[in-house]
Amino acid sequence: MTRTLSPGALMAAETAEQPAVWRRQLAEAGPGGASGLAEAAELVRRRAPRFVLLVARGTSDHAALYAKYLVEITLGLPVGLVSPSTYTAYGRRPDLRDVLMVAVSQSGGSPDLLRTLEVAKAGGALTVSVTNNAASALATTADAHVDVLAGPERAVAATKSYTAQLLALNLLFGGAGADALPDLGDAILARDAELAALAVRYRFAERMITTGRGYSYPTAREAALKLMETAYVSAQAFSGADLLHGPLALVEPRVPVLAVTSAGAGGQAFAPVLDALAERRADVVTVGSAARDVVLPETAEPLAPLLEILPFQLLARHVAVDRGGDPDAPRGLRKVTETL
């Protein structure tokens, strides 16, 4: 007899696996480890690139945005986010000597990312892939590959592969101090009932806004995507700085705002955004280590995004189920989306 899974069961199970994935990554990060991290990092150090380009799609694009902040802030190198169409649809072949191109992909199977990496390699770039599939075309084409070791991800909405990408990128670019993360992650995920109660507040929401600054901005982007693809909420993500311009006109009491606000420079810079939202009497819930609503443990600012996204993953699943949906079977979506 075939057992029918309850709505969101796959997403729930994979969300819960994340601390275990992080422990595995940390254990395999050294020389000779299964991730290939140490070898990739050493190759990057030897080549000493002067510029970094990141290429990704979907959820992985938010991991790449995180890496952009990380490299610019911690290493002081200029970083760009690639438009794959430049290399595919428009067929351009730029000179990429002294450039590091990092391709981030859960599956490693996107044709446009593969073509972009091939063109970059031919143009003189050092290429590194960060995927959850060491046998993928992207992994075998790059000069070095980092396996995020997330294990099979069956749910359509990416959860564990996303935070595994964040940690892999952090370690690739010299991050440290992540040993406490798995235990902190377990503690946050144990608060599932708290997020289930919050989800009831958004059962009938038609539009939502997510926002953050600095390292928290990729979290806002990923949170909006999770709400859109699982609960079919029209969620728009804005940098706090951008929100203070034209998009602020969208804010009204009927449009809930989810604000990511954590300790550190990004959180401090976000304070005027909260003031502006209060002036507009917005329905705001804050999430993060400097939040007043869903308060998270404080950690080093570059590591905070791994913890910040966990409540949003829980929230999105509960909102989807409360609205009568199944986040494991969203309308018109499948696990691997190929774009050309």
Side-chain angles (χ1 to χ4, degrees):
M1 181 176 177
T2 302
R3 176 176 168 269
T4 302
L5 295 176
S6 59
L10 287 177
M11 185 178 179
E14 291 174 355
T15 299
E17 289 178 33
Q18 289 172 103
V21 171
W22 303 346
R23 291 185 180 98
R24 182 160 60 245
Q25 286 182 286
L26 292 168
E28 297 291 343
S35 68
L37 254 166
E39 290 73 19
E42 177 58 27
L43 181 59
V44 172
R45 281 192 292 270
R46 287 203 312 266
R47 289 283 291 269
R50 291 292 305 134
F51 195 93
V52 179
L53 289 174
L54 298 153
V55 60
R57 291 288 196 192
T59 283
S60 297
D61 196 42
H62 304 151
L65 179 59
Y66 162 78
K68 183 177 189 295
Y69 280 98
L70 183 71
V71 174
E72 287 177 340
I73 294 169
T74 63
L75 300 183
L77 292 176
V79 183
L81 295 173
V82 169
S83 300
S85 295
T86 300
Y87 301 77
T88 56
Y90 292 95
R92 306 312 298 166
R93 303 291 182 267
D95 181 351
L96 297 178
R97 288 172 289 183
D98 296 326
V99 170
L100 166 64
M101 179 175 283
V102 181
V104 188
S105 169
Q106 192 274 341
S107 68
S110 174
D112 64 335
L113 297 193
L114 177 60
R115 183 56 182 156
T116 299
L117 204 71
E118 290 172 339
V119 172
K121 196 171 181 179
L126 170 64
T127 57
V128 174
S129 59
V130 178
T131 83
N132 195 32
N133 184 358
S136 65
L138 205 62
T140 55
T141 297
D143 294 309
H145 175 248
V146 176
D147 190 337
V148 302
L149 303 176
E153 190 172 57
R154 296 168 59 203
V156 173
T159 54
K160 63 178 181 174
S161 65
Y162 174 66
T163 58
Q165 288 171 344
L166 297 184
L167 183 54
L169 289 162
N170 183 279
L171 296 172
L172 176 65
F173 292 114
D179 291 347
L181 278 178
D183 289 344
L184 295 176
D186 279 328
I188 294 171
L189 293 172
R191 296 163 61 182
D192 185 64
E194 175 186 346
L195 276 300
L198 179 61
V200 175
R201 183 169 173 171
Y202 304 119
R203 183 176 180 183
F204 300 107
E206 296 181 359
R207 294 184 293 147
M208 297 180 74
I209 289 174
T210 63
T211 182
R213 284 205 70 175
Y215 285 110
S216 294
Y217 177 42
T219 303
R221 294 275 298 270
E222 176 63 8
L225 177 60
K226 285 293 158 283
L227 287 162
M228 286 189 287
E229 69 183 349
T230 61
Y232 318 133
V233 177
S234 179
Q236 292 180 277
F238 296 99
S239 157
D242 289 334
L243 183 62
L244 289 179
H245 296 284
L248 192 63
L250 295 171
V251 177
E252 56 172 304
R254 293 179 300 172
V255 181
V257 177
L258 297 171
V260 193
T261 174
S262 295
Q268 293 167 12
F270 194 71
V273 182
L274 293 176
D275 292 340
L277 292 171
E279 289 176 5
R280 296 185 71 85
R281 298 183 180 180
D283 175 7
V284 180
V285 167
T286 56
V287 178
S289 57
R292 61 175 179 268
D293 300 304
V294 182
V295 182
L296 304 183
E298 187 172 345
T299 187
E301 191 174 7
L303 295 172
L306 281 94
L307 303 180
E308 292 169 348
I309 193 58
L310 301 182
F312 291 107
Q313 294 171 344
L314 299 174
L315 180 69
R317 175 171 57 84
H318 284 299
V319 172
V321 173
D322 287 351
R323 292 159 76 98
D326 182 357
D328 291 335
R331 296 191 298 259
L333 294 179
R334 55 195 177 96
K335 185 60 188 172
V336 179
T337 301
E338 297 182 353
T339 53
L340 294 173

